[in-house]
Each structure stands twice: as C-alpha cells, then as structure tokens.
C-alpha cells in the first residue's frame, strides 16, 4: 500500500483522541476498568502514531538519498545481520520471560487489582505459548 504509514499515523492520532476524550467523559472513579481501557487505547494510538511517523520519515530520507536506500537494502539482506538480529531477539525473549515472571510476583505482593494481574498472566501465557508454537513449527521444518 502506498500510504500505509500515513494511514497508520492518522489512525494512531484518532485512537489517541478517542481514548483521551473517553477518559475525560468518564466519571472519576479510582479503580475503574474503563479508565484503564481508555489508557490502553491511548497508548496503542501513541504507538501506532509513532510507527507511522517513523515510516514516513524513513521513506522521505530514502527518497531523498538513494545511496542510503541501497545501503539499507544490502544490510537487510546480509546474512550476518540477520543472524545477529535473530540472536538478539532470542536473548531478549529469554530475558523477557524472567522479567514478566518477576513482575507478576511483584504485582501479587503489592496486592494489585486482580484484573491487572490476570491481564499480565494472560499476556505472559500468550507469549510463552507463542514461543512453544514456533519452536514446534520450526523443528518440523528443519
């Protein structure tokens, strides 16, 4: 798609505005799950806006400087860079597993709201199950 980054940035702005507007319209309650949902929508909008804006800037630079485009294409196809990226991603996954576990235990000891603990546990399980799924899939392929 030609304008994917622009659409992502615009959608991000719309999500940010919707989340902030909804948060303002809600009655003030200390432990409202709707407030948390509005915060997550706002954060998702910020992420999408940042992603779209970064893509727009990158495309602008690539269009202006063709030598940078050629260098980026070479680096993206380089086997060493691919191996380094895969190894770094694997290490980050290993660290994330322990950090998520420690964070869950910390939330329990802080006696945090049950909804936040359940959301964190579900996210943790989703990541771990996804890791197991891809490990099985790649073992079958190789």
């Amino acid at each position: 798609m030609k304008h994917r980054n622009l659409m992502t940035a615009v959608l991000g702005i719309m999500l940010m505005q919707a989340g902030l507007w909804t948060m303002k319209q809600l009655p003030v309650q200390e432990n409202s799950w709707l407030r948390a949902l509005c915060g997550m929508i706002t954060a998702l909008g910020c992420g999408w806006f940042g992603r779209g804006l970064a893509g727009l800037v990158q495309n602008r630079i690539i269009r202006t400087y063709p030598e940078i485009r050629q260098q980026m294409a070479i680096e993206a196809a380089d086997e060493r860079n691919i191996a380094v990226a895969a190894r770094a991603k694997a290490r980050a996954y290993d660290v994330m597993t322990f950090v998520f576990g420690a964070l869950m235990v910390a939330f329990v000891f802080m006696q945090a709201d049950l909804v936040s603990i359940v959301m964190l546990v579900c996210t943790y399980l989703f990541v771990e199950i996804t890791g197991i799924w891809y490990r099985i899939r790649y073992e079958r392929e190789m």
Side-chain angles (χ1 to χ4, degrees), residues 12-124:
I13 290 173
M14 289 173 27
L15 279 174
M16 280 191 300
Q17 288 176 341
L20 291 173
W21 181 80
T22 308
M23 197 179 301
K24 184 179 177 185
Q25 299 301 319
L26 287 175
V28 177
Q29 294 178 354
E30 193 170 312
N31 291 326
S32 174
W33 64 272
L34 285 173
R35 210 163 196 52
L37 182 65
C38 293
M40 289 190 315
I41 290 172
T42 303
L44 183 66
C46 288
W48 281 7
F49 172 70
R51 172 82 177 185
L53 188 64
L56 288 171
V57 169
Q58 183 180 17
N59 287 345
R60 176 81 174 193
I61 290 171
I62 286 174
R63 240 183 305 152
T64 307
Y65 302 103
E67 63 274 359
I68 292 177
R69 175 181 40 209
Q70 183 181 9
Q71 182 66 26
M72 288 176 67
I74 290 170
E75 287 178 5
D78 185 28
E79 289 181 21
R80 181 183 176 280
N81 287 341
I82 293 170
V84 167
R87 191 169 178 190
K89 196 179 295 185
R91 182 64 62 188
Y93 172 79
D94 292 341
V95 170
M96 184 191 64
T97 297
F98 293 111
V99 170
F100 259 120
L103 189 61
M104 285 187 291
V105 171
F107 271 33
V108 169
F109 284 143
M110 290 188 313
Q111 297 176 347
D113 188 30
L114 184 62
V115 173
S116 60
I117 294 173
V118 169
M119 286 173 42
L120 188 61
V121 169
C122 289
T123 304
Y124 178 79

Side-chain angles (χ1 to χ4, degrees), residues 112-142:
D113 188 30
L114 184 62
V115 173
S116 60
I117 294 173
V118 169
M119 286 173 42
L120 188 61
V121 169
C122 289
T123 304
Y124 178 79
L125 290 175
F126 175 75
V127 169
E128 293 301 318
I129 290 170
T130 303
I132 292 169
W133 169 267
Y134 277 108
R135 181 177 177 98
I136 291 169
R137 181 176 166 197
Y138 291 150
E139 282 180 353
R140 287 182 184 165
E141 287 178 6
M142 295 179 178

